Amino acid sequence: MTVTPTPAAGDTICAGGSVSFSATGSTGVARYQWSFPNGSITSSTQQNPGNVTYGNPGFYFYNVQGFNSCGFSHSLFGSIKVDTLPNIVINSANSICRGVATVITASGGTSYSWDGPGIGGLTTTTVSINQTASTTYSVTGTSGTNGCIKKVTKTINAIAATVAGFPYSVTATICPTTDFAYNSSTSVGAVSYTWTFAGGTPSTSTQANPSVGYSSSGLYNAKILVNNGCGQ
């Protein structure tokens, strides 16, 4: 009775990869018993169990027993080495300015292949993107140590320039010495605020909704400047 397992002992795969096990070439075997500790399947009674996946790096042993029609058995043991995947990262902000060319970078590997609008097929470490809407990019990186590959994706938002506004008509009327509460609720996409109040106290503010007092009767102008890093 002969049992000939495939793969041969000592085969190496990358984490998340699969090994196809079989006992092709065995002779005089009536029944099989495979064992794959820590594999995606842990045992099988088929002659050719097929693919077994190993998700984590390390060394994993397997064995197969072949039984003949008289109940006698023959066992073989082997091991699989599972290598670590590279830690591939797309380095960029989560949001960029709409319509502005921006460089993003891959790290963690020694070679790369990009996919996404305007960068598909590029193999450089850095690429330039220019988007007007939320867009998903991916890069596949290869380890220079063990040749394992890993693909990662990242969705980058596109931010438009801000629009300033406050919900008042051309004029609003208050009594002298009474504070007036300004607010910026109709501004769009604002992150920072710069108010100017000619003749008011205070004369400037960086709050979103400041209160301002005027000590004398008259007509006073207020100005708001908003910004989000992509324009004001």
Side-chain angles (χ1 to χ4, degrees):
M1 179 178 60
T2 302
V3 179
T4 307
T6 301
D11 276 13
T12 300
I13 62 171
C14 298
S18 298
V19 179
S20 181
F21 289 92
S22 66
T24 303
S26 302
T27 58
V29 181
R31 180 171 62 88
Y32 295 86
Q33 181 63 58
W34 292 84
S35 177
F36 315 104
N38 302 111
S40 56
I41 61 172
T42 57
S43 64
S44 175
T45 57
Q46 299 181 38
Q47 177 180 350
N48 304 313
N51 289 336
V52 179
T53 302
Y54 294 89
N56 298 312
F59 284 92
Y60 299 94
F61 294 95
Y62 67 88
N63 76 284
V64 57
Q65 285 182 288
F67 297 86
N68 65 14
S69 57
C70 296
F72 294 103
S73 66
H74 177 65
S75 297
L76 285 175
F77 294 83
S79 64
I80 299 294
K81 181 186 177 185
V82 181
D83 278 338
T84 303
L85 297 180
N87 182 28
I88 306 300
V89 178
I90 296 176
N91 302 289
S92 73
N94 293 326
S95 300
I96 64 174
C97 297
R98 181 180 298 174
V100 176
T102 303
V103 172
I104 63 175
T105 305
S107 63
T110 55
S111 62
Y112 305 96
S113 178
W114 292 89
D115 190 25
I119 62 171
L122 295 181
T123 57
T124 52
T125 302
T126 61
V127 295
S128 180
I129 59 174
N130 190 329
Q131 61 191 58
T132 58
S134 178
T135 305
T136 299
Y137 302 93
S138 65
V139 65
T140 301
T142 303
S143 168
T145 303
N146 55 32
C148 291
I149 63 174
K150 183 179 180 180
K151 181 178 180 179
V152 296
T153 62
K154 184 171 186 177
T155 299
I156 301 176
N157 298 316
I159 301 177
T162 55
V163 177
F166 46 92
Y168 306 111
S169 58
V170 176
T171 60
T173 303
I174 60 170
C175 297
T177 71
T178 301
D179 284 354
F180 183 74
Y182 288 91
N183 78 69
S184 58
S185 61
T186 60
S187 297
V188 178
V191 173
S192 64
Y193 307 84
T194 302
W195 292 86
T196 303
F197 311 106
T201 303
S203 60
T204 62
S205 177
T206 56
Q207 299 179 27
N209 305 307
S211 292
V212 181
Y214 297 91
S215 59
S216 302
S217 299
L219 184 64
Y220 300 93
N221 293 322
K223 180 181 177 181
I224 182 175
L225 181 67
V226 297
N227 201 329
N228 66 353
C230 290
Q232 56 188 19

